[in-house]
């Protein structure tokens, strides 16, 4: 399953934001903006890429607008009223309030002042906004039974929102424009830590790290004060709604502190109308403004504000001496020009901070300049390890998405899983993380919900008997010579090399084993009286066959309760081998019993059968004897078993460390 992103606007450019995302069988249009730099058909996204037939209601599930700037909402009336889209449209309450003002102001400027052909009328704007559903922050909107969306605070301008969309287990965020640092009238962007397949983010300042906003404010106020103090006049053109309010707050506060009497003139128009909504929508502003609202509305400016048109761009282009406003009007330029940036967009650090916080599986960059986007892409992939793309307009990018299957689980599976975790030792629980991995079998039957079952469930379903595959090897382990080496096959001793074998030391088959068993039985009787019952099946009896894993008793996996009560040759050598395992691999839970070791399915016990079918006979060195250990394990633990066998083939057990092999109390049994 994939998520497809079709970029219709703001691909490798700033302007005309419009991105169509196909996710989980749903198709969402994020923003529907116009490009302010074009007057031909390039001003609008190429909507034919959505549907060649023009049936946009069938092609789109919904439209979501992030904020009221024209490069994000400017094409919406054209798309709904002229192209015929009648489906769901969502935007926040402030955006729904301010977008009509922006659209009507644009229409008046283009048609009534410039005399251009009308793209949409005032009635079109009104009818378009009737189709809009207003949403609040963090309000989960169920668009249909599968698609849900949620808006998060984006800063930037009043009402701007990041949009979280989720279909099934697939999720994404479209940021729109956002700001990761607060300013005077808005807070910083805020979003929950979400698990995302895709993040589509603006990259206006992809390579810029902005200086302190306080330094910029001081520079701005210093320039303004210097001009008015010398008897001059200051003209402040602001292109974007929202920046006008920011500078109004800054100037108003400074005029109060400096007790300046110079008037600030407000041009009648959009900003005055917008201020009315800013006063009403205090809840969407910064914490400082909300706290001061009880005594004063910060947007009740005592000194007013003057907003200009688009002449500012011409003034910033070089050092012009004359500017042509239109074919009939020409103005001489005699003013000084001081350019400063109070952008509400996040910078490169803010983008990286957001990506680091959300850690999406994939990133797509929009709303930026191509060379800078390429640099940011490199940083994202090298520093964060996240695949990143920056498609051009009318290009599509597909990224993989998670695909999950809803399944049931049987009670037997759950019981086995929890029992497995419950039976872990304290040391093992400290060695693992809180994440638990459950192993089961996915059973899919026709016309039934898939379910995860245990092995026994599957056998019952198939009416089959359980079959297990065990691997086995009788592994030789080198034993360092002490004064005498024990011979487990005879119960006697072997002379060291160079020693005479003239003194009678006849083999006594089973004698040593019987002595150990008799001594163990005596200690068990004492243990039974003092500490409770111990079963003799926990130890090996003289009559018990010990010729390999195929004849091992069923209860050998249970730890013996008498381990701490006595030591035998078997137990002592197994203890030495256990220590070797623990020193060479990370094994937290080796089970040690009277006659065997167990780690997961791997078991090792001393083998007394010289004809063991799992043994490969090898020559004996001059200074070492070999004791054989019969080992068995399941296929699932084959890698572990081979590591353990490798240790056993290389290790040398020093029997001088177990010189106490048989306590004095056992001597009476040797006389049998």
């Amino acid at each position: 399953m994939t998520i497809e992103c079709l970029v219709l606007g703001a691909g490798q450019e700033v302007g005309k934001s419009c991105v169509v995302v196909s996710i989980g069988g749903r198709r969402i249009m994020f923003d529907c903006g116009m490009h302010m730099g074009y007057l031909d058909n390039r001003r609008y996204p190429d909507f034919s890429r959505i549907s060649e037939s023009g049936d946009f209601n069938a092609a789109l599930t919904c439209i979501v607008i992030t904020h009221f700037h024209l490069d994000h909402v400017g094409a919406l009336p054209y798309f709904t009223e002229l192209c015929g889209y009648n489906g769901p449209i969502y935007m926040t309450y402030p955006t729904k309030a301010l977008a009509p003002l922006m659209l009507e102001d644009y229409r008046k400027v283009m048609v009534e002042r410039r005399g251009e052909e009308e793209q949409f009328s005032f009635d079109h704007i009104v009818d378009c906004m009737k189709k809009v559903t207003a949403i609040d922050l963090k309000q989960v909107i169920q668009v249909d039974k599968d698609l849900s969306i949620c808006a998060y605070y984006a800063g930037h301008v009043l009402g701007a929102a990041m949009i979280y969309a989720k279909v099934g287990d697939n999720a994404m965020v479209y940021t729109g424009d956002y700001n990761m640092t607060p300013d005077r009238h808005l807070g910083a962007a805020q979003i929950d830590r979400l698990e995302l397949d895709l993040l589509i983010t603006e990259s206006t300042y992809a390579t810029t790290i902005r200086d302190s906003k306080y330094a910029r404010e001081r520079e701005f106020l210093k320039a303004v004060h210097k001009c008015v103090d010398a008897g001059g006049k200051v003209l402040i053109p602001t292109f974007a709604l929202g920046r006008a309010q920011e500078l109004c707050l800054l100037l108003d506060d400074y005029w109060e502190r400096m007790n300046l009497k110079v008037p600030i003139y407000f041009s009648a128009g959009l900003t005055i109308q917008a201020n009315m909504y800013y006063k009403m929508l205090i809840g969407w502003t910064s914490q400082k403004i909300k706290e001061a609202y009880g005594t004063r509305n910060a947007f009740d400016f005592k000194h007013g504000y003057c907003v200009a048109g688009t002449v500012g761009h011409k003034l910033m282009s070089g050092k012009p001496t004359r500017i042509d406003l239109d074919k009939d009007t020409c103005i001489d330029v005699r003013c000084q020009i001081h350019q400063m940036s109070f952008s509400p967009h996040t910078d490169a650090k803010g983008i990286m901070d957001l990506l680091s916080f959300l850690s999406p599986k994939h990133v797509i960059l929009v709303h930026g300049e191509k060379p800078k986007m390429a640099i940011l892409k490199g940083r994202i992939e090298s520093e964060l390890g996240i695949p990143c793309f920056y498609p051009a307009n009318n290009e599509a990018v597909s990224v993989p998405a998670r695909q999950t299957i809803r399944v049931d689980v049987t009670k037997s599976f759950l019981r086995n899983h929890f029992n497995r975790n419950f039976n872990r030792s304290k040391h093992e629980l400290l060695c693992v993380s809180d994440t638990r991995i459950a192993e089961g079998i996915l059973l899919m039957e026709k016309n039934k919900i898939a379910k995860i079952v245990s092995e026994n469930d599957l056998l019952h379903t198939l009416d089959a008997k359980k079959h297990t595959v065990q691997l086995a090897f009788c592994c030789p382990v080198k034993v360092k010579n002490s004064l005498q080496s024990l011979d487990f096959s005879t119960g006697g001793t072997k002379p060291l090399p160079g020693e005479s074998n003239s003194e009678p030391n006849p083999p006594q088959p089973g004698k040593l084993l019987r002595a150990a068993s008799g001594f163990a039985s005596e200690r068990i009787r004492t243990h039974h009286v003092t500490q409770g019952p111990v079963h003799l099946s926990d130890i090996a009896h003289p009559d018990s066959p010990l010729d390999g894993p195929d004849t091992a008793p069923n209860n050998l996996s249970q730890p013996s309760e008498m381990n701490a009560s006595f030591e035998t040759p078997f137990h002592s050598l197994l203890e030495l081998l256990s220590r070797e395992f623990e020193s060479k691999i990370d094994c937290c839970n080796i089970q040690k019993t009277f006659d065997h070791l167990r780690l997961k399915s791997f078991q090792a016990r001393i083998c007394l059968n010289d004809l063991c079918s799992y043994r490969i006979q090898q020559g004996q060195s001059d200074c070492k004897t070999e004791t054989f250990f019969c080992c068995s394990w399941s296929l699932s633990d084959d890698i572990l078993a081979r590591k353990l066998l490798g240790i056993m083939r290389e290790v040398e057990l020093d029997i001088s460390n177990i010189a106490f092999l048989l306590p004095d109390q056992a001597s009476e049994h040797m006389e049998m």
Side-chain angles (χ1 to χ4, degrees):
M1 182 178 291
T2 62
I3 299 175
E4 184 184 82
C5 176
L6 173 62
V7 178
L8 296 182
Q12 299 178 7
E13 67 173 2
V14 177
K16 193 173 65 177
S17 289
C18 185
V19 177
V20 178
V21 177
S22 300
I23 176 173
R26 302 296 181 269
R27 210 172 186 199
I28 311 166
M29 176 187 287
F30 293 98
D31 286 334
C32 189
M34 68 164 57
H35 201 299
M36 305 302 294
Y38 298 114
L39 299 177
D40 54 19
N41 60 354
R42 290 177 295 174
R43 77 175 69 181
Y44 294 134
D46 184 2
F47 296 123
S48 65
R49 305 279 303 206
I50 303 174
S51 173
E52 294 182 358
S53 66
D55 187 1
F56 299 113
N57 294 319
L60 292 175
T61 307
C62 69
I63 297 176
V64 186
I65 303 298
T66 58
H67 63 285
F68 58 71
H69 281 161
L70 290 177
D71 62 331
H72 292 259
V73 73
L76 187 62
Y78 175 82
F79 186 57
T80 59
E81 305 312 307
L82 281 77
C83 297
Y85 175 76
N86 293 309
I89 305 172
Y90 300 97
M91 60 182 71
T92 64
Y93 284 95
T95 302
K96 184 175 182 180
L98 290 164
L101 301 182
M102 296 289 290
L103 292 166
E104 175 59 12
D105 184 72
Y106 169 78
R107 188 195 66 80
K108 285 182 178 180
V109 170
M110 299 304 291
V111 177
E112 298 179 8
R113 295 185 187 179
R114 296 189 180 182
E116 294 190 13
E117 181 182 354
E118 186 173 73
Q119 298 295 314
F120 48 79
S121 67
F122 174 77
D123 290 336
H124 286 152
I125 297 172
V126 173
D127 292 338
C128 171
M129 300 312 295
K130 290 179 180 178
K131 297 180 172 69
V132 172
T133 300
I135 61 176
D136 211 339
L137 292 176
K138 293 194 175 182
Q139 177 186 359
V140 178
I141 302 297
Q142 202 68 39
V143 180
D144 59 25
K145 65 182 182 68
D146 296 314
L147 171 62
S148 62
I149 61 172
C150 183
Y152 287 92
Y153 190 81
H156 186 62
V157 293
L158 194 73
M162 298 179 176
I163 305 300
Y164 171 68
K166 190 174 188 295
V167 182
D169 292 311
N170 302 145
M172 60 158 292
V173 162
Y174 175 83
T175 66
D177 295 347
Y178 63 102
N179 197 351
M180 293 294 286
T181 56
D183 57 25
R184 287 180 174 267
H185 79 292
L186 295 172
Q190 299 177 16
I191 190 169
D192 295 334
R193 194 183 298 273
L194 305 166
E195 187 173 354
L196 303 176
D197 296 294
L198 174 64
L199 176 71
I200 303 175
T201 177
E202 68 139 308
S203 53
T204 312
Y205 292 98
T207 59
T208 302
I209 304 295
R210 288 203 299 268
D211 57 1
S212 167
K213 74 168 186 171
Y214 300 107
R216 278 180 281 129
E217 290 178 352
R218 285 195 301 269
E219 182 184 355
F220 169 75
L221 294 171
K222 181 180 178 181
V224 171
H225 196 169
K226 180 181 178 181
C227 181
V228 297
D229 195 46
K233 298 178 177 62
V234 180
L235 181 68
I236 307 175
T238 56
F239 171 74
L241 188 63
R243 292 306 85 195
Q245 281 70 27
E246 181 73 8
L247 294 179
C248 283
L249 290 168
L250 180 60
L251 287 171
D252 208 51
D253 179 67
Y254 185 74
W255 251 236
E256 287 289 313
R257 288 188 287 111
M258 302 302 293
N259 195 28
L260 295 178
K261 304 301 181 182
V262 179
I264 301 176
Y265 293 101
F266 227 18
S267 69
L270 179 62
T271 303
I272 293 180
Q273 298 177 60
N275 280 343
M276 177 182 66
Y277 289 103
Y278 272 75
K279 294 176 185 178
M280 294 168 54
L281 298 165
I282 290 293
W284 289 75
T285 59
S286 67
Q287 189 63 32
K288 182 178 180 180
I289 289 182
K290 285 187 283 190
E291 290 173 353
Y293 180 67
T295 57
R296 175 177 176 264
N297 192 319
F299 296 102
D300 286 328
F301 302 117
K302 296 181 180 180
H303 308 280
Y305 181 75
C306 182
V307 64
T310 59
V311 180
H313 176 71
K314 296 179 181 180
L315 291 174
M316 290 186 297
S317 302
K319 296 182 179 180
T321 58
R322 293 173 65 89
I323 288 181
D324 295 324
L325 293 183
D326 52 47
K327 61 182 180 179
D328 299 321
T329 308
C330 182
I331 297 178
D332 293 331
V333 178
R334 299 174 185 173
C335 64
Q336 295 181 4
I337 302 169
H338 196 106
Q339 181 181 358
M340 299 187 67
S341 173
F342 284 88
S343 174
H345 293 270
T346 190
D347 61 3
K349 181 181 182 301
I351 296 172
M352 294 297 289
D353 287 345
L354 179 67
L355 296 182
S356 178
F357 176 75
L358 290 176
S359 298
K361 300 292 192 303
H362 306 88
V363 172
I364 292 179
L365 303 178
V366 294
H367 203 280
E369 300 172 17
K370 183 178 180 181
K372 297 179 180 180
M373 296 169 91
I375 295 173
L376 181 59
K377 164 188 164 68
R379 284 193 62 192
I380 293 170
E381 294 184 336
S382 62
E383 296 179 23
L384 302 178
I386 303 174
C388 182
F389 310 89
Y390 58 105
N393 283 342
N394 300 321
E395 288 184 356
V397 172
S398 294
V399 299
R402 291 167 295 168
Q403 185 173 9
T404 58
I405 302 174
R406 182 180 177 182
V407 298
D408 289 337
V409 294
T410 62
K411 293 181 179 179
S412 176
F413 167 78
L414 291 175
R415 191 182 307 114
N416 290 344
H417 170 60
F418 287 115
N419 286 344
R420 190 180 299 118
N421 285 283
F422 180 78
N423 290 330
R424 286 177 174 171
S425 68
K426 291 183 179 179
H427 184 70
E428 185 179 12
L429 289 173
L430 291 175
C431 294
V432 299
S433 65
D434 292 336
T435 302
R436 296 181 177 182
I437 299 177
E439 295 181 356
I441 302 165
L442 180 62
L443 180 62
M444 303 180 70
E445 299 179 83
K446 189 175 182 179
N447 299 327
K448 291 185 179 181
I449 297 177
K451 58 184 176 181
I452 299 177
V453 302
S454 65
E455 293 181 13
N456 292 335
D457 291 327
L458 181 63
L459 292 174
H460 178 74
T461 302
L462 299 177
D463 193 23
K465 295 182 179 180
K466 183 176 181 179
H467 297 271
T468 58
V469 176
Q470 290 283 106
L471 303 178
F473 177 58
C474 195
C475 182
V477 176
K478 298 171 186 176
V479 181
K480 273 188 178 181
N481 287 316
S482 180
L483 294 177
Q484 282 186 317
S485 297
L486 287 175
D487 184 355
F488 285 103
S489 63
T490 63
T493 59
K494 292 181 179 179
L496 293 175
E499 291 184 353
S500 171
N501 197 23
S502 58
E503 295 184 7
N505 188 21
Q508 299 177 353
K511 192 171 184 180
L512 178 60
L513 179 60
R514 287 195 300 273
S517 300
F519 171 63
S521 299
E522 180 178 323
R523 296 301 297 268
I524 289 173
R525 286 193 292 271
T526 304
H527 189 283
H528 177 78
V529 172
T530 59
Q531 300 185 27
V534 175
H535 299 288
L536 288 177
S537 58
D538 284 333
I539 65 171
H541 290 272
D543 299 331
S544 300
L546 294 170
D547 58 347
D550 51 339
T551 58
N554 291 331
N555 64 338
L556 288 180
S557 62
Q558 301 298 323
S560 173
E561 298 180 20
M562 63 182 183
N563 285 347
S565 301
F566 69 93
E567 296 286 347
T568 70
F570 304 109
H571 185 272
S572 300
L573 280 178
L574 289 169
E575 178 64 30
L576 290 179
L577 184 59
S578 172
R579 293 174 186 173
E580 293 292 337
F581 287 162
E582 292 173 343
S583 67
K584 291 181 170 59
I585 64 172
D586 184 18
C587 48
C588 303
N589 193 25
I590 296 180
Q591 298 179 19
K592 290 168 280 191
T593 68
F594 168 71
D595 69 335
H596 82 282
L597 299 178
R598 182 185 181 98
L599 180 58
K600 294 187 176 180
S601 67
F602 180 88
Q603 295 189 71
R605 60 170 51 81
I606 294 175
C607 181
L608 303 181
N609 183 3
D610 289 335
L611 301 178
C612 178
S613 58
Y614 304 110
R615 184 181 303 182
I616 300 176
Q617 296 290 346
Q618 299 183 7
Q620 188 174 0
S621 64
D622 292 338
C623 61
K624 295 180 178 67
T625 61
E626 290 180 333
T627 297
F628 285 87
F629 288 77
C630 252
C631 305
S632 64
W633 64 93
S634 67
L635 280 172
S636 61
D637 294 323
D638 191 50
I639 295 177
L640 171 65
R642 293 182 184 277
K643 288 181 181 179
L644 297 176
L645 291 173
I647 294 172
M648 295 170 70
R649 297 295 296 267
E650 298 296 328
V651 74
E652 292 182 357
L653 301 181
D654 188 354
I655 62 174
S656 64
N657 293 333
I658 53 172
F660 59 87
L661 286 175
L662 287 178
D664 295 338
Q665 293 98 317
S667 59
E668 61 187 79
H669 298 284
M670 295 290 289
E671 303 301 326
M672 292 190 304

